[in-house]
Amino acid sequence: MYHETTAGTWSLPVAEATIGEDSAGGNLSDETRDSAHNGGDMRCSALGRRLCICPVLLLATRLPETHSWQARLTANNRPVDLSFSPRKISSRQMSQSSTAPDEEDIIMLSGYPFYVKGPDPREIDVVAEKTRTVLEKACGGQLKSVDRMGSSAIEGISGTPVCDMLAELSPWPMTEDAKSRMTEAGYECKGSAPHASQDEWFFGGDGEPGHLGRVVLHTVPEGAEFVRDMKAFVEYINSHPDAFQRYNDVKVEGAVLMSRSSQEDGRLLGYKGKKADVCNEIKREAIEWWTKRNGKGE
């Protein structure tokens, strides 16, 4: 089982992680990849039950200055010292561009690039502003607010470069005419999100699923509690270094672990499962903190 120790240091049984074939349903479609990025609600529990890891103990400590890792492998009570970095587990087949970070900063998870130092916030800003413009043109007065949410709103935190956004609409849901304009602009409505009945989400943007330019857009009724929760989560992590470190550490730890999975299609969902408990713990802390400062409303 997973044992969290101090921030930046972790221990877990690890060798070759094997995912059951039915946990990811074979090859992931683009829609499944987008859903998995946004939480993997429908699959992570099954995945966790079917994750099989050999009983070898790996004790690893992250070195924040270099984003490398030092590890001590213990097998049959005989320690073996070793070190590794994301460079050794990054895909050699990842696409390169003039603005791409060094290969050592990226871990590939089911075709998704996971940025150890976080994606470039300037590039995420550009994607968010374009989506805001599309929404304003499509929805007009029905759009009451739109902002980034989740990791894409937390500068410097590790993760994929997908831009998560949250829009308040009144009335809700989005009109059919507005949905048609969104489709023409490259944002496809996927119906209700799995975590809430009053959250209609859209996948789209200029990027491929999981890559820079991709957007997962949530649309909810104006004043929805979900808006408060997401604001609280982002502001709490941005203002509490300990929360930032805990969340960042578990994200990198999960990515490093799942990059060793023998089945590539299960890596992203496995990563989501690994970080879920810490994410939910921080979310509870954030809502309590927010409520004390602002009351139950916004």
Side-chain angles (χ1 to χ4, degrees):
M1 59 185 294
Y2 176 84
H3 300 283
E4 184 177 2
T5 57
T6 58
T9 303
W10 50 284
S11 61
L12 67 163
V14 61
E16 182 71 3
T18 303
I19 310 301
E21 291 181 1
D22 61 343
S23 62
N27 294 328
L28 296 178
S29 64
D30 286 355
E31 181 172 349
T32 302
R33 292 180 193 277
D34 278 318
S35 301
H37 156 76
N38 209 255
D41 309 71
M42 299 170 285
R43 300 174 184 268
C44 281
S45 295
L47 178 66
R49 289 194 297 269
R50 296 189 59 83
L51 185 63
C52 303
I53 305 176
C54 299
V56 180
L57 180 65
L58 176 68
L59 180 63
T61 304
R62 183 171 62 85
L63 304 181
E65 296 82 3
T66 61
H67 293 275
S68 62
W69 298 78
Q70 288 182 337
R72 183 172 70 253
L73 181 66
T74 302
N76 298 324
N77 297 318
R78 299 181 63 184
V80 179
D81 290 329
L82 70 155
S83 63
F84 63 95
S85 71
R87 175 184 292 278
K88 295 183 180 181
I89 55 179
S90 298
S91 171
R92 295 182 179 179
Q93 299 177 346
M94 65 173 240
S95 60
Q96 298 291 330
S97 70
S98 59
T99 59
D102 293 338
E103 182 182 1
E104 64 195 44
D105 296 333
I106 295 177
I107 301 171
M108 296 304 291
L109 299 172
S110 305
Y112 273 44
F114 177 93
Y115 290 65
V116 175
K117 298 178 183 178
D120 187 334
R122 295 167 298 182
E123 294 179 330
I124 300 296
D125 284 343
V126 170
V127 174
E129 284 306 309
K130 179 175 181 180
T131 303
R132 183 189 302 274
T133 300
V134 168
L135 271 168
E136 290 171 347
K137 291 181 178 179
C139 298
Q142 190 180 12
L143 177 66
K144 301 305 177 183
S145 77
V146 58
D147 209 346
R148 283 153 56 185
M149 58 171 273
S151 294
S152 66
I154 304 170
E155 185 171 337
I157 204 158
S158 60
T160 69
V162 175
C163 184
D164 296 304
M165 299 194 71
L166 176 58
E168 291 182 280
L169 303 179
S170 182
W172 182 90
M174 190 180 294
T175 66
E176 293 303 317
D177 285 346
K179 287 179 183 178
S180 295
R181 289 189 285 271
M182 290 293 290
T183 299
E184 291 173 2
Y187 299 79
E188 185 178 359
C189 181
K190 295 296 183 179
S192 296
H195 57 268
S197 58
Q198 287 193 311
D199 181 352
E200 197 170 58
W201 61 353
F202 295 73
F203 301 159
D206 295 329
E208 294 297 320
H211 291 259
L212 183 65
R214 191 67 169 183
V215 175
V216 173
L217 169 67
H218 298 254
T219 63
V220 299
E222 183 180 19
E225 194 173 74
F226 185 59
V227 177
R228 177 210 65 183
D229 293 351
M230 294 300 99
K231 285 183 178 179
F233 183 78
V234 169
E235 291 192 19
Y236 182 73
I237 292 178
N238 279 332
S239 61
H240 290 72
D242 174 69
F244 179 98
Q245 195 65 51
R246 283 155 52 207
Y247 191 39
N248 192 69
D249 285 348
V250 78
K251 285 161 69 73
V252 175
E253 290 159 13
V256 170
L257 174 61
M258 294 313 302
S259 69
R260 293 170 171 261
S261 169
S262 62
Q263 295 194 20
E264 184 176 349
D265 278 348
R267 292 175 185 171
L268 180 67
L269 294 172
Y271 154 72
K272 292 292 179 181
K274 288 295 176 184
K275 71 170 187 170
D277 288 346
V278 173
C279 180
N280 289 331
E281 177 183 285
I282 293 174
K283 181 181 174 183
R284 288 191 294 269
E285 294 172 10
I287 293 172
E288 182 179 356
W289 168 80
W290 177 276
T291 302
K292 287 180 179 178
R293 294 185 61 201
N294 303 287
K296 292 185 178 181
E298 291 187 36

